Amino acid sequence: MTPMHVLVTGGAGFVGSHLVDALVAAGHRVRILDSLDPQVHPEGALPDYLNSAAEFIRGDVREREAVREALRDVDAVVHLAAAVGVGQSMYDVARYVDVNSLGGALLLDLLANEKHTVGRMLVASSMSCYGEGKYACDACGPIFPKLRPAAQLAARDWEMHCPACGKPARPVPTDEEKPLFPTSIYAITKRDHEEMFLSVGRAYGIKTTALRFFNIYGPRQALSNPYTGVAAIFSSRLLNGRPPLIFEDGRQSRDFIHVSDVVSAMQTALDADNVDGEVLNVGTGRALSVLELCGLLADKLGSGEKPEIENRFREGDIRHCYADVEKIRRLLGWSPRIGFEEGVGDLVGWVRTQLASDAVPRAKEELERRGLTK
Ligand code: UD1
């Protein structure tokens, strides 16, 4: 890959910091723009793992001057900076739209109105844009259901039914053509990112690709953030000798991808010239239920702790979604390398170094107070 000067917004975060390491190792010049959000970086200082070969600018994506400085002389931008708590976005609505949608808009506004050297952009999108994944009904064929009706959830009937005929619906891989039904403010802002970056990229001839990340896990996942992903939450619960709390019946499933696979997908996309204007799923193509995930983590930790199955649900949660990775395979020749059984060791190793932070009770209380778990 020809060496580039790359700006990584959110480069001190979980995904961003791994990308920075990989870009530096590949010989690129890297600049980070990161606000060190206290929810993710409670110590208020640069994290120990941050790559010292990268230039660091502390600044918020909503500050015009900071973004202008960050964009100076870069060839490529990878926009990862975002507020990422799905549940939190449902009560911190204005801040999420401000940081995510307006933060992204400000960067694009500078590219549209000022001289710049950017020829390539990647933007982090999310499987959350889909809402529910794609399903198949034996009678009706492929279907794209919206969230399960409130009355069904109130009756603790968790699986998806075909909205047309009511028969059980079976999850199938979700491809990029599935209609988007974002179900949270966070997801809406991620769709904004995709659409805004692709539209401005096209208008100004900047090659732009949006990557829809599935559920990412791995070292450096922020355990101080109560809204971090379920794999990190369960690991820290088990290490603290507390039972994981499982929503619904635990048979809901997701596609868990190791952070190093996400990094290799980003690097491959940055280097490719056939993905301008494209949206690509970045997942493994394998569904794992929350119960299976919990079992694998408990095995890895040698924990006998049994999960507590809550038989309650989180407002806005989907039942199943896993990636169809055919498009990214075809266009980039990329495929994931690490299965969960292999990658989980890394996650657990990291969680062990993070002293007993269990932010779950706080998140639970905040969601409950607002009627967002039922
Ligand atoms: C959401 C977003 C995704 C984002 C991710 C991490 C959607 C559809 N997706 O994924 O884009 O990357 O958050 O911010 O909004 N669970 C439990 N117990 C817990 C925590 C979670 O049972 O203590 C269950 C949830 O009910 C859900 C599954 O685990 O069924 C996954 O939850 P989570 O890790 O929060 O991620 P998603 O909601 O899939």
Side-chain angles (χ1 to χ4, degrees):
M1 178 173 6
T2 350
M4 287 189 286
H5 189 186
V6 186
L7 167 65
V8 181
T9 70
F14 165 41
V15 176
S17 65
H18 285 286
L19 175 67
V20 168
D21 286 346
L23 291 173
V24 166
H28 299 293
R29 202 172 140 199
V30 182
R31 179 181 291 149
I32 295 168
L33 174 69
D34 200 298
S35 67
L36 301 180
D37 179 345
Q39 187 163 308
V40 181
H41 304 277
E43 65 291 347
L46 285 182
D48 297 342
Y49 54 70
L50 204 70
N51 195 309
S52 57
E55 179 191 352
F56 181 80
I57 298 177
R58 182 167 186 172
D60 194 298
V61 281
R62 294 166 295 179
E63 292 163 17
R64 204 171 182 92
E65 252 330 296
V67 181
R68 181 181 281 130
E69 187 192 340
L71 283 170
R72 190 163 300 132
D73 299 329
V74 296
D75 306 308
V77 174
V78 182
H79 189 61
L80 301 176
V84 296
V86 176
Q88 190 176 39
S89 77
M90 296 307 289
Y91 57 87
D92 218 353
V93 179
R95 186 171 71 87
Y96 270 74
V97 174
D98 194 24
V99 174
N100 294 0
S101 304
L102 281 174
L106 175 62
L107 189 149
L108 297 172
D109 197 275
L110 283 164
L111 293 177
N113 290 293
E114 300 192 2
K115 269 210 163 106
H116 68 83
T117 47
V118 177
R120 191 82 187 83
M121 294 194 288
L122 293 184
V123 65
S125 180
S126 161
M127 52 74 87
S128 62
C129 290
Y130 290 121
E132 276 291 349
K134 184 172 172 178
Y135 291 76
C137 164
D138 286 341
C140 307
I143 51 170
F144 309 110
K146 296 197 174 159
L147 290 181
R148 293 158 291 176
Q152 176 188 337
L153 294 171
R156 273 50 189 151
D157 172 8
W158 303 122
E159 281 303 343
M160 184 59 75
H161 300 286
C162 172
C165 73
K167 290 209 169 72
R170 168 166 57 77
V172 296
T174 298
D175 58 76
E176 292 84 350
E177 297 307 311
K178 191 205 135 322
L180 303 182
F181 302 127
T183 60
S184 66
I185 296 294
Y186 166 76
I188 291 167
T189 66
K190 281 285 142 181
R191 185 183 63 188
D192 286 349
H193 271 173
E194 268 189 22
E195 293 178 350
M196 294 191 311
F197 275 73
L198 291 175
S199 139
V200 170
R202 185 187 156 110
Y204 294 96
I206 305 171
K207 291 195 180 101
T208 304
T209 309
L211 300 173
R212 283 188 193 144
F213 298 149
F214 280 66
N215 296 57
I216 311 175
Y217 68 92
R220 304 182 190 166
Q221 202 160 358
L223 286 162
S224 56
N225 185 349
Y227 301 95
T228 195
V230 65
I233 290 177
F234 283 3
S235 314
S236 92
R237 296 280 295 177
L238 289 168
L239 281 169
N240 285 317
R242 296 204 179 93
L245 304 178
I246 293 194
F247 294 121
E248 306 183 20
D249 59 358
R251 294 184 200 286
Q252 67 272 35
S253 67
R254 296 292 188 276
D255 184 337
F256 294 94
I257 178 162
H258 192 270
V259 66
S260 64
D261 278 329
V262 169
V263 166
S264 76
M266 287 192 279
Q267 276 190 294
T268 314
L270 260 184
D271 206 22
D273 54 14
N274 61 341
V275 286
D276 180 20
E278 300 289 351
V279 176
L280 303 173
N281 279 344
V282 182
T284 67
R286 172 192 180 198
L288 207 61
S289 76
V290 168
L291 268 177
E292 286 169 323
L293 167 92
C294 190
L296 289 169
L297 285 168
D299 284 354
K300 189 78 203 172
L301 291 166
S303 158
E305 201 72 53
K306 288 272 163 287
E308 272 173 24
I309 299 186
E310 298 256 281
N311 258 292
R312 286 152 60 87
F313 66 95
R314 252 183 357 187
E315 186 52 51
D317 257 0
I318 58 155
R319 182 68 177 170
H320 301 288
C321 187
Y322 67 105
D324 183 324
V325 285
E326 172 49 34
K327 184 175 177 188
I328 188 166
R329 242 188 250 281
R330 180 166 42 83
L331 292 181
L332 293 182
W334 173 90
S335 41
R337 292 210 189 95
I338 302 183
F340 191 79
E341 289 80 353
E342 194 190 336
V344 66
D346 256 7
L347 171 67
V348 164
W350 159 252
V351 175
R352 279 191 203 281
T353 67
Q354 301 299 293
L355 293 171
S357 76
D358 183 1
V360 168
R362 197 180 101 217
K364 200 174 168 210
E365 191 271 322
E366 280 175 353
L367 295 179
E368 257 165 28
R369 188 149 49 85
R370 295 172 171 91
L372 295 172
T373 46
K374 296 182 176 108

